[in-house]
Amino acid sequence: MDVTALSLLTKTAKTRLRTLRAQAKLCRKQFSEEAVHDLRVAMRRLLALVDFLNFFAASPALRKVRRSLKSHLDAFDALRDTQVMLLETGQRLAQLPEIEPFHCYLQKTEKRLLRRAQKDIEDVDNTYSKPIRAALKSVEEMPVDVFSPVDDAYHTVLSRLAMVDAANVATIHRVRIAFKRFRYSFEIVQPLLNDMPEDLPAQMHSYQTLMGEIQDAEVLLRTLEEYTSRPRKDGADLTPVRQFYEQLHRERVDVYLQNMDRVHSFWRAAPDALFPWQEEAGAPLASVEETLEETDILCEEPAIAEQPVVSGDALEEVATPGQPDADVLAESEALQPDAETPETAQTPGDGDGLASATSQEEEDRS
């Protein structure tokens, strides 16, 4: 492996191991929503590094580390879901007073899950470093392309994107799972991309947030359904709450569908292709054969293009010169990066959405 790439991976491993230990220690002292969020992000980033190394040097020891990290992440899922829903419902109390009984129910649920999760945090393993160091030693002499794991993760994203069905939101969820893996892998090699646009990480974060917000609404609606189906003393009618979040869910799905193709600007389409930002800057010089072919084409008699007839209705849809199209504005606003960077953002879920897993996510965990 290239010396620069190996040095980067070694530094990344040290940083992520140190961050995980620090966040676990902090979480033991203060089991807050923010502390749980930061610990889960630290676990996911270390898990991404393990998957990255496993791509080149798979070993039983690395697989054991992966299983341990996934087990801890799974243990925090219900708590994380509940804390994000508490933030959401707390912000809606004035707008939707009918939501108060459900909000109180979530508060009681959080207390119960906190007691359970605090026991699990004591078991966060401190022996991850040895298998990771061994893997780094193994790849040291390998003639590998450090971008290969990112290419592989991105290919999975594109494959799942091609199967997105507007009528089946689970297909968007599958893209979200794959995109998270891609994004965390991308972060590892990011320092090697000197010509990368500065706002690309923020754009990725915003893209993931679009899918995460759909998952937020999905889990909240499912939890609300479970709550309303059980015997309750309050007898409150939560129909307005359900209708509100059903509408919000539909709107979030529509926004994502309008923006989902933005993913093509995040990475190269194939290992031998240019990165999107390199294509925009200008493609490399063509070969002699390509130049000759282009010369022959230019020498051909140009065909006269038939001018289409534009109706009055169509003219009304043409944007006025100097004024951006409304759809373009909406798309731009939907993907506007947060003020905080993706590394430090404390928004619920870090663009991750609620952590609760569907059956498909269980499949992805294997």
Side-chain angles (χ1 to χ4, degrees):
M1 178 176 283
D2 177 78
V3 175
T4 304
L6 182 62
S7 175
L8 172 64
L9 289 180
T10 302
K11 181 179 179 181
T12 301
K14 290 180 179 178
T15 300
R16 296 191 175 188
L17 284 165
R18 184 169 59 247
T19 301
L20 177 62
R21 286 192 291 267
Q23 294 298 341
K25 183 178 180 180
L26 179 63
C27 214
R28 291 186 187 103
K29 291 183 178 179
Q30 181 183 3
F31 220 81
S32 64
E33 186 277 334
E34 183 177 336
V36 173
H37 167 269
D38 291 344
L39 178 61
R40 292 183 75 251
V41 170
M43 286 182 174
R44 287 196 180 280
R45 288 200 166 113
L46 185 60
L47 180 62
L49 177 66
V50 170
D51 287 340
F52 198 97
L53 294 172
N54 213 33
F55 186 88
F56 298 118
S59 70
L62 273 183
R63 286 193 289 270
K64 184 177 179 180
V65 171
R66 190 184 197 283
R67 285 195 300 270
S68 175
L69 287 169
K70 286 298 296 178
S71 175
H72 287 301
L73 280 168
D74 294 346
F76 294 136
D77 280 353
L79 175 62
R80 178 62 185 157
D81 286 355
T82 304
Q83 290 179 327
V84 174
M85 285 188 288
L86 271 171
L87 287 175
E88 165 62 26
T89 55
Q91 294 169 356
R92 304 288 184 184
L93 285 171
Q95 179 184 1
L96 283 171
E98 300 92 343
I99 207 172
E100 186 174 1
F102 181 56
H103 182 73
C104 293
Y105 163 75
L106 292 174
Q107 288 177 323
K108 294 177 181 178
T109 303
E110 182 194 30
K111 291 179 181 179
R112 174 173 52 83
L113 293 174
L114 276 170
R115 291 192 296 269
R116 183 189 305 173
Q118 282 174 325
K119 296 178 181 178
D120 184 79
I121 194 63
E122 298 297 331
D123 299 328
V124 172
D125 201 345
N126 289 321
T127 62
Y128 297 150
S129 57
K130 186 175 180 180
I132 291 176
R133 284 200 305 267
L136 287 168
K137 188 69 176 177
S138 298
V139 302
E140 187 174 347
E141 302 300 328
M142 291 183 180
V144 296
D145 178 4
V146 72
F147 292 148
S148 295
V150 191
D151 287 326
D152 185 71
Y154 185 65
H155 176 73
T156 302
V157 173
L158 296 184
S159 298
R160 295 187 179 187
L161 190 75
M163 294 186 289
V164 166
D165 179 1
N168 184 3
V169 182
T171 58
I172 299 177
H173 176 67
R174 295 192 71 222
V175 176
R176 184 179 72 90
I177 296 300
F179 189 84
K180 285 195 296 183
R181 291 177 178 173
F182 160 66
R183 181 178 162 224
Y184 284 128
S185 297
F186 167 86
E187 287 180 351
I188 295 174
V189 302
Q190 181 180 333
L192 300 176
L193 302 169
N194 297 325
D195 56 348
M196 179 196 76
E198 291 183 4
D199 67 340
L200 184 59
Q203 290 293 329
M204 288 186 180
H205 176 261
S206 297
Y207 185 85
Q208 184 173 316
T209 298
L210 291 179
M211 295 181 286
E213 288 179 343
I214 295 172
Q215 182 69 2
D216 288 353
E218 282 269 320
V219 177
L220 193 147
L221 282 168
R222 186 163 60 245
T223 307
L224 182 64
E225 178 65 25
E226 293 171 357
Y227 172 68
T228 55
S229 64
R230 63 175 60 191
R232 293 180 291 114
K233 295 181 180 180
D234 57 80
D237 182 13
L238 295 175
T239 302
V241 177
R242 176 178 53 79
Q243 292 174 340
F244 173 83
Y245 282 105
E246 286 175 345
Q247 176 63 27
L248 186 65
H249 179 267
R250 287 191 294 269
E251 291 173 356
R252 289 177 175 179
V253 170
D254 289 342
V255 170
Y256 173 71
L257 293 175
Q258 293 167 13
N259 290 281
M260 67 178 187
D261 287 337
R262 284 289 186 93
V263 74
H264 296 292
S265 66
F266 296 152
W267 194 253
R268 59 190 183 186
D272 58 348
L274 292 173
F275 290 107
W277 53 89
Q278 293 173 331
E279 293 175 351
E280 293 173 2
L285 293 175
S287 64
V288 174
E289 292 78 12
E290 290 172 335
T291 304
L292 289 174
E293 289 177 3
E294 290 178 4
T295 303
D296 291 338
I297 293 173
L298 289 172
C299 290
E300 294 178 0
E301 187 72 20
I304 300 175
E306 182 179 350
Q307 297 298 321
V309 178
V310 182
S311 67
D313 291 339
L315 283 172
E316 292 179 1
E317 296 177 1
V318 177
T320 305
Q323 294 182 351
D325 183 76
D327 290 338
V328 174
L329 280 175
E331 180 179 286
S332 175
E333 291 172 359
L335 284 176
Q336 187 68 26
D338 298 334
E340 297 174 298
T341 64
E343 289 285 343
T344 59
Q346 299 299 328
T347 54
D350 188 33
D352 184 20
L354 292 168
S356 182
T358 62
S359 57
Q360 181 58 52
E361 186 162 2
E362 292 291 346
E363 175 186 327
D364 288 318
R365 284 174 177 165
S366 60

